[in-house]
Amino acid sequence: SGEHSCNECGGDGEVDCSNCDGSGNVEDAEGNEIECTECSGSGRVECGDCSGRGDVECDNCNGRGEVSCYECS
């Protein structure tokens, strides 16, 4: 197929939010726990490596789904 599961998100298309470490909440200036604005409280954000698709193009075949043999080509 020329693609494989994204190593960053494990094929989920989402990763833990780095702003709230996946909790969905952050502390405001007064120390109150509030909803994280980066992930809207879900604790998850779109994976930047696969743009939320869950799959990435294979580096070995450049997405073609096959590799060339350099000895016999």
Side-chain angles (χ1 to χ4, degrees):
S1 72
E3 294 188 338
H4 61 84
S5 289
C6 176
N7 291 330
E8 182 67 24
C9 67
D12 293 335
E14 294 183 332
V15 294
D16 284 346
C17 175
S18 62
N19 191 53
C20 66
D21 295 322
S23 72
N25 297 304
V26 293
E27 286 189 5
D28 66 11
E30 290 82 39
N32 300 311
E33 197 169 277
I34 60 170
E35 184 178 274
C36 177
T37 57
E38 295 294 314
C39 65
S40 301
S42 71
R44 306 282 285 169
V45 294
E46 183 179 275
C47 177
D49 285 5
C50 67
S51 301
R53 293 183 351 190
D55 292 320
V56 292
E57 186 176 276
C58 175
D59 290 332
N60 291 329
C61 70
N62 295 319
R64 293 189 320 267
E66 57 185 45
V67 292
S68 298
C69 176
Y70 296 106
E71 290 186 28
C72 64
S73 55

